[in-house]
Amino acid sequence: MSDQSFHTEAPRRFLFLDAGARPDGNTVQLARLAAESSLPVGAEQRWLRLADHPLPPFQDLRHAGGGSYPEPEGHERTLLEATLAATDLVFVAPLYWYTLPTPAKLYLDHWVGWLRVPGLDFRARTAGATLWGVTVLAGRDGAADPLAGTLRLTAEYMGMRWGGLLLGNGSRPGDVLHDERALVAAKSFFAG
Ligand SMILES: Cc1cc2nc3c(=O)[nH]c(=O)nc-3n(C[C@H](O)[C@H](O)[C@H](O)COP(=O)(O)O)c2cc1C
């Protein structure tokens, strides 16, 4: 038996962050389909609704006092720990005004604080993770360019890999299940 037979890779851990403002909307439905059909074998998945973990307003303390942030508590702590545990971070984010819904944007704003919590090493511990986006919009595809750009540039800034954006079309919940192109893309999305 060769040494290689003992070599097993740690399972990927996908964190799905649902940023939508209604339960079971099109975006979650599309993300669920992609997870069911294209997650790597053995991958773990955790789903969190940002609405269930409301964050306090972000305060810009970068240039106040020593510029450091306190240890996060409460919902912020839950989201921080879930983020640190993930190898793959999936923004399940309906398109709102061409970009991310407010809870997703607020969560990202808090990264600025997490980067400055003494001893946390947020950047080093998240570098190498893969960032993905799943979105559904009612209008034309190009309207999601700002959302795609926000996530892709965030990944670049953080030293993360950009996995890409899965895009669907719909308005009323369930509409996206009639978007053939999105259904086909979902089948292989996380395998790409
Ligand atoms: C606050 C808000 C803003 C929206 N802004 C846009 C937009 O900029 N472009 C667009 O095509 N659709 C827009 N929509 C439509 C949603 O993207 C679409 O209905 C989508 O299905 C919502 O996702 P969900 O079904 O997962 O809740 C908006 C909807 C809401 C509620």
Side-chain angles (χ1 to χ4, degrees):
M1 203 183 281
S2 77
D3 282 355
Q4 269 187 331
S5 60
F6 290 107
H7 179 77
T8 49
E9 275 184 31
R12 303 253 297 271
R13 295 178 301 279
F14 282 73
L15 175 62
F16 292 83
L17 289 171
D18 172 7
R22 59 182 174 187
D24 298 318
N26 291 292
T27 317
V28 170
Q29 293 186 35
L30 183 60
R32 278 198 206 117
L33 277 178
E36 281 162 17
S37 49
S38 69
L39 281 184
V41 178
E44 295 166 8
Q45 43 180 311
R46 180 173 183 193
W47 292 71
L48 287 178
R49 271 203 91 209
L50 289 176
D52 295 335
H53 299 278
L55 290 169
F58 171 70
Q59 291 187 62
D60 186 356
L61 306 175
R62 290 171 306 150
H63 306 110
S68 63
Y69 279 73
E71 284 283 339
E73 294 173 355
H75 293 305
E76 191 183 341
R77 180 101 222 150
T78 303
L79 290 173
L80 167 64
E81 285 175 0
T83 305
L84 289 173
T87 60
D88 294 82
L89 203 52
V90 188
F91 283 80
V92 181
L95 190 75
Y96 287 176
W97 293 109
Y98 313 103
T99 190
L100 293 170
T102 304
K105 177 62 169 47
L106 180 59
Y107 161 76
L108 282 178
D109 287 355
H110 276 279
W111 285 17
V112 169
W114 298 351
L115 285 164
R116 292 168 174 80
V117 175
L120 186 62
D121 290 333
F122 185 69
R123 183 185 295 278
R125 291 169 69 188
T126 53
T130 301
L131 200 148
W132 310 80
V134 180
T135 195
V136 172
L137 70 166
R140 289 180 301 107
D141 285 4
D145 288 353
L147 179 146
T150 297
L151 294 178
R152 181 178 54 78
L153 291 167
T154 297
E156 200 175 290
Y157 175 73
M158 293 296 293
M160 297 174 172
R161 200 176 78 85
W162 171 228
L165 181 70
L166 174 61
L167 193 68
N169 199 271
S171 181
R172 187 175 283 274
D175 280 352
V176 76
L177 301 179
H178 305 289
D179 179 351
E180 270 306 318
R181 192 184 51 160
L183 300 186
V184 169
K187 283 209 156 47
S188 62
F189 182 60
F190 292 115

